[in-house]
Amino acid sequence: MMSKLNMACLVSSIALLAAQPAYAEVITVEAGEGEQERLQEALILAEPGDEVVLGEGVFTLTDGLSLDVDGVTVRGAGMDKTILDFSEQQDAGEGLLVTSDNVTLRDFGVENTRGDGIKSKGADDIVYYNLRVEWTGGPLETNGAYAVYPVESSNVLIDSVVVRGASDAGIYVGQSKNIIVRNSVAEYNVAGIEIENSREARVTGNYVSHNTGGILVFDLPNLPVMGGGDVLVDHNIVINNDVPNFAPAGNIVAGVPMGSGIMVMANENVSLEHNVVDGNATAAVIVVAYTQSYEDDRYNPFPRNVFVSNSNQFGHNGYAPDLPGGGMLAVAVGGAIPTIMWDGLGENAVVTNGGVAALSLGYTKQGQGPESAAPDIVTDTLPVAAAATGATIPMQHSAEMEARARP
Amino acid sequence: MIATKIIGRGVLAAAVLALSSATLVPSPAPQAAQTIAVNDTAVLEQRLPRKLSDFGFFQNGVQQVPAANVVPYRLNIPLYSDGAEKLRFMYLPAGLQAIGGGEGLLELPVGAALIKTFAFGEGDDRQLIETRVLLRRADGWLALPYKWNDEQTDARLAIAGARVDLTTPAGEDISYRVPNKNQCKECHGVDGEVVPIGPKARNLSADWLEDLAGAGKLNAVPDGHDQLPLWENRETADVTATARGYLDVNCAHCHRPGATASNSGLDLRWEQDDPHALGVNKRPVAAGRGSGGHLFDIVPGDADSSIMTFRMRSDEAGVAMPELGKTTIDQDGADIVTRWIEEMQ
């Protein structure tokens, strides 16, 4: 049943010519015969302010869905009750694509898309709430790259989502600004959560486990938006990231060592506070310059002012670094890599407020490989500051956006 | 046949003559005696016309005989659409002109429309599958897909798209995809606006442009017109021009700044000269398994190691490029891009 459309049919196409109603409508779409067309039609014909309500059950979808109307809410009956199943998907690069502003996606699950799960591009003020995006066959190279994928957007709120199985990043926010990712679960992905080429981001209160790497904060060259920074990673549980890397070669995350807790590459003003980081075999925290060759005059490949607070709780990490010669390296420094593994590049790259153990690999130039590393414990030589400086980070979003992320 | 995909100078001249004299294209079809005018209200105002016939673009739909002021055209290099025969028309209301804008898109006046019909099968077996229209309204372009009925009497708005089982000219049985309204915009969107893709001066023949200008329907033949080689001459034409033309037509509507794949940083427009932006030694950003295990979009001299040709030669959703608008692999297109990469130093 799709009440709005049926009504439109009943009163014939004249209804389509009529002035648009000033009030928001609720358009209900149930699973079953014709669900692909009915659901897509609802997403196309929705008006700003409308709510498209998805019934309980499994929607079997053969093509990617898309939403291009501002101010629409798509609401299911729960992340395990309303399921958009893309196992039979035949085209499009993602399951659901959102290209409009002020959209709320909530309370449904997305399974087994052929490419990315949910992508929002140029979609400002978007709220992802209580969603599950999953490849149900576990971590496989044939899974799509990103589960939740906002890009080129301002004001992004991701709250209480569950992502599993992404062959790149479970939650990936790229080329965006003013971002909060919170209270979410990322498991069995290559990267649990990744903030890339973005500014003003807070990653807080997430449970990030059984990925290859837990939380990544990266900046890459040659993209339309660069200069990532001003990122706060706080109050996350980053434990037992122990899945072998299953990213297809060619992707930057294919180089992430198994058991990387929190990894920062070529960013500025990144602050790690009050996290619990335990059971990550390579290192709790990795801070590095961009590892590959590049040609881009606009790009700064070095990490700058990455603040690792002693308010974090670091457990047993770094005991089996997934690096060439990693075993010997661990033995050489007393059996385990210290909390921070830094490649040694960048001025004021790593800052602490004291008491956080750090290893420098002693690299002398960007793009250097580990074979020429000159490791050294640098715990006592890192710059010390009381807190992170220079970062402008959203603690929460506007009241209007926050209201869209409530039960 | 009156309207075919090959629009020679003579046919075009006849069509343009028809425009200027307000008579119709000479035709054995009985409909030729009757003047059908385009319904400008449908083009300009009616929110979502439900039937293709509402527009009156054709005096004979199944034969694709255009109405007055509807001019057929072809592109030097076409977009690949599973081998569909594509019949393209431009509607310019009486008294209005297209404006040339250099080698790029012709600027069409409010009230104009672009119409493209997709057909499979030869001769009497030809079936029209869908007709896509782009309407130039006062507030911008609107893209709508219409799916032909089995009886071939009319096409209905398929706002949510459709699938049609058919056999391609290459003999492949496929589930052909009629795009939905949003997918129209995914390819036709630049900076949030819907724009045409096809009728760029560089991809239009000099003859056609001159005829259009001669008929007063174009202000002047624009500089930089007719640069792309003819697709049927691809074996002998300059490889770089042909491959770059192919990428411009088939890929650059998404892979350019401001469009659907802008975040990839890959810019495949004809006017882009920076090798890195074109993919040479460029690492992928969000390719996922689309990388095929390769490190760069284009490895000069080594198409087998290039992501670009890997994705062009895939028919798997999530890997295949382009993502929309085709189900099968364009072997000819992949071959010319392969030759281009192989010859690259």
Side-chain angles (χ1 to χ4, degrees):
Chain A
M1 263 299 283
M2 197 197 305
S3 52
K4 185 178 181 183
L5 282 178
N6 285 348
M7 189 171 156
C9 291
L10 282 173
V11 296
S12 89
S13 59
I14 290 164
L16 293 164
L17 298 169
Q20 295 312 313
Y23 52 88
E25 290 197 54
V26 173
I27 305 153
T28 302
V29 185
E30 301 289 353
E33 183 69 25
E35 52 216 332
Q36 174 77 41
E37 284 72 26
R38 288 185 293 110
L39 175 47
Q40 182 58 68
E41 198 158 303
L43 296 174
I44 288 172
L45 295 178
E47 300 284 341
D50 285 355
E51 187 162 293
V52 176
V53 173
L54 310 178
E56 198 167 324
V58 178
F59 291 71
T60 302
L61 300 165
T62 56
D63 295 285
L65 299 168
S66 54
L67 172 62
D68 188 40
V69 181
D70 290 346
V72 170
T73 295
V74 181
R75 179 196 297 268
M79 69 164 75
D80 295 313
K81 291 181 175 168
T82 296
I83 295 163
L84 307 184
D85 177 6
F86 287 91
S87 303
E88 306 296 318
Q89 185 178 1
Q90 295 177 56
D91 82 352
E94 55 283 310
L96 172 60
L97 174 67
V98 177
T99 48
S100 47
D101 297 337
N102 275 303
V103 165
T104 305
L105 307 174
R106 55 177 298 162
D107 309 311
F108 59 89
V110 170
E111 293 184 356
N112 300 324
T113 55
R114 304 309 310 274
D116 301 311
I118 306 175
K119 178 177 179 180
S120 53
K121 180 169 183 291
D124 297 342
D125 306 296
I126 190 164
V127 173
Y128 291 82
Y129 178 72
N130 197 37
L131 300 168
R132 179 176 56 88
V133 182
E134 179 168 7
W135 286 269
T136 56
L140 296 172
E141 182 177 314
T142 50
N143 293 346
Y146 305 133
V148 167
Y149 177 15
V151 65
E152 291 187 350
S153 302
S154 294
N155 308 328
V156 174
L157 176 54
I158 297 168
D159 189 346
S160 306
V161 310
V162 177
V163 290
R164 295 191 187 102
S167 68
D168 196 307
I171 296 171
Y172 170 94
V173 185
Q175 303 179 53
S176 295
K177 71 171 192 180
N178 203 27
I179 301 145
I180 298 177
V181 178
R182 70 185 180 209
N183 306 336
S184 294
V185 174
E187 299 177 310
Y188 303 102
N189 311 284
V190 174
I193 298 171
E194 182 174 2
I195 307 293
E196 189 169 276
N197 292 54
S198 293
R199 288 203 87 88
E200 299 170 25
R202 186 180 187 198
V203 178
T204 185
N206 301 287
Y207 179 83
V208 184
S209 184
H210 300 305
N211 306 283
T212 303
I215 298 173
L216 313 185
V217 183
F218 281 14
D219 197 46
L220 304 182
N222 298 114
L223 292 182
V225 178
M226 296 193 303
D230 296 342
V231 180
L232 171 61
V233 178
D234 70 292
H235 295 94
N236 300 285
I237 296 174
V238 184
I239 58 172
N240 301 331
N241 288 290
D242 53 8
V243 170
N245 196 317
F246 60 101
N251 294 283
I252 187 76
V253 297
V256 173
M258 177 174 71
S260 301
I262 302 172
M263 183 169 181
V264 180
M265 183 171 77
N267 249 258
E268 65 180 354
N269 305 337
V270 180
S271 193
L272 315 183
E273 301 174 26
H274 300 289
N275 300 288
V276 175
V277 187
D278 188 24
N280 302 290
T282 294
V285 175
I286 301 173
V287 179
V288 291
Y290 181 62
T291 53
Q292 297 171 313
S293 59
Y294 69 95
E295 285 177 38
D296 188 342
D297 294 340
R298 305 170 300 161
Y299 182 62
N300 186 335
F302 300 111
R304 291 94 70 196
N305 191 29
V306 177
F307 177 74
V308 184
S309 169
N310 59 22
S311 65
N312 293 291
Q313 294 180 50
F314 295 112
H316 185 44
N317 300 286
Y319 46 84
D322 178 23
L323 302 167
M328 288 171 61
L329 180 63
V331 169
V333 293
I337 302 290
T339 298
I340 302 170
M341 181 167 71
W342 170 41
D343 63 5
L345 296 172
E347 288 184 24
N348 287 319
V350 186
V351 179
T352 79
N353 50 358
V356 185
L359 171 75
S360 168
L361 295 177
Y363 285 16
T364 53
K365 65 176 195 293
Q366 188 271 333
Q368 190 175 342
E371 60 283 349
S372 50
D376 189 20
I377 300 293
V378 293
T379 308
D380 298 329
T381 61
L382 293 178
V384 174
T389 54
T392 316
I393 289 161
M395 289 298 109
Q396 57 179 16
H397 276 301
S398 68
E400 185 278 324
M401 277 184 75
E402 292 289 343
R404 291 192 267 139
R406 293 204 184 110
Chain B
M1 287 304 295
I2 297 155
T4 71
K5 65 176 174 178
I6 307 300
I7 309 301
R9 184 165 192 157
V11 175
L12 179 67
V16 172
L17 185 69
L19 295 170
S20 51
S21 65
T23 58
L24 292 164
V25 183
S27 165
Q31 289 85 350
Q34 182 186 350
T35 300
I36 302 262
V38 171
N39 175 2
D40 289 315
T41 306
V43 174
L44 282 164
E45 292 168 16
Q46 202 179 328
R47 185 171 169 246
L48 297 171
R50 306 302 270 194
K51 304 192 302 293
L52 183 62
S53 59
D54 292 346
F55 296 102
F57 290 135
F58 299 102
Q59 45 167 316
N60 180 324
V62 67
Q63 292 186 38
Q64 292 283 286
V65 181
N69 296 324
V70 178
V71 190
Y73 69 100
R74 67 157 288 176
L75 300 172
N76 290 7
I77 296 180
L79 172 75
Y80 176 76
S81 306
D82 291 323
E85 176 188 358
K86 299 207 271 190
L87 302 110
R88 299 176 180 81
F89 304 90
M90 178 181 293
Y91 169 60
L92 285 163
L96 296 183
Q97 263 191 342
I99 307 294
E103 66 169 317
L105 281 170
L106 301 184
E107 186 186 327
L108 301 183
V110 171
L114 295 166
I115 305 107
K116 181 159 72 165
T117 296
F118 294 66
F120 286 87
E122 298 280 333
D124 292 344
D125 291 335
R126 185 172 85 175
Q127 283 281 313
L128 308 182
I129 304 299
E130 57 160 329
T131 296
R132 304 178 190 170
V133 305
L134 269 171
L135 311 173
R136 179 69 175 92
R137 295 188 162 178
D139 58 353
W141 287 93
L142 175 66
L144 297 174
Y146 291 82
K147 178 177 174 293
W148 282 85
N149 59 21
D150 291 342
E151 300 75 36
Q152 303 277 284
T153 54
D154 203 351
R156 281 195 75 81
L157 180 63
I159 203 161
R163 286 197 166 273
V164 180
D165 291 332
L166 54 77
T167 305
T168 68
E172 293 176 87
D173 294 325
I174 62 168
S175 171
Y176 176 87
R177 174 71 183 163
V178 177
N180 67 48
K181 179 173 174 282
N182 285 353
Q183 290 172 323
C184 294
K185 189 176 171 186
E186 283 179 45
C187 291
H188 282 273
V190 175
D191 295 329
E193 303 291 318
V194 173
V195 297
I197 298 169
K200 298 186 172 95
R202 60 177 173 248
N203 200 21
L204 291 165
S205 81
D207 287 350
W208 187 85
L209 290 163
E210 283 161 14
D211 286 348
L212 199 66
K217 307 297 284 183
L218 173 64
N219 67 327
V221 175
D223 292 341
H225 67 277
D226 206 357
Q227 296 181 66
L228 272 59
L230 293 177
W231 185 237
E232 57 270 30
N233 296 342
R234 61 187 173 278
E235 296 300 327
T236 51
D238 178 73
V239 174
T240 298
T242 311
R244 288 292 312 278
Y246 179 88
L247 295 171
D248 184 57
V249 171
N250 284 271
C251 315
H253 40 273
C254 289
H255 281 290
R256 56 163 293 170
T260 293
S262 60
N263 58 297
S264 68
L266 188 65
D267 182 358
L268 295 174
R269 288 175 300 167
W270 176 259
E271 56 267 52
Q272 178 56 262
D273 292 324
D274 175 12
H276 196 273
L278 289 167
V280 177
N281 295 322
K282 180 186 178 303
R283 297 179 194 279
V285 179
R289 65 199 179 98
S291 75
H294 304 306
L295 300 181
F296 301 101
D297 290 350
I298 292 174
V299 179
D302 189 358
D304 286 345
S305 300
S306 298
I307 294 171
M308 181 179 284
T309 36
F310 170 75
R311 299 191 81 164
M312 289 177 70
R313 292 190 189 278
S314 170
D315 59 4
E316 198 182 339
V319 175
M321 283 287 162
E323 288 180 346
L324 296 178
K326 70 184 240 313
T327 300
T328 56
I329 297 164
D330 181 4
Q331 299 292 354
D332 293 334
D335 286 349
I336 197 77
V337 173
T338 297
R339 277 176 57 203
W340 175 58
I341 293 173
E342 289 292 338
E343 292 180 15
M344 211 178 272
Q345 301 291 316

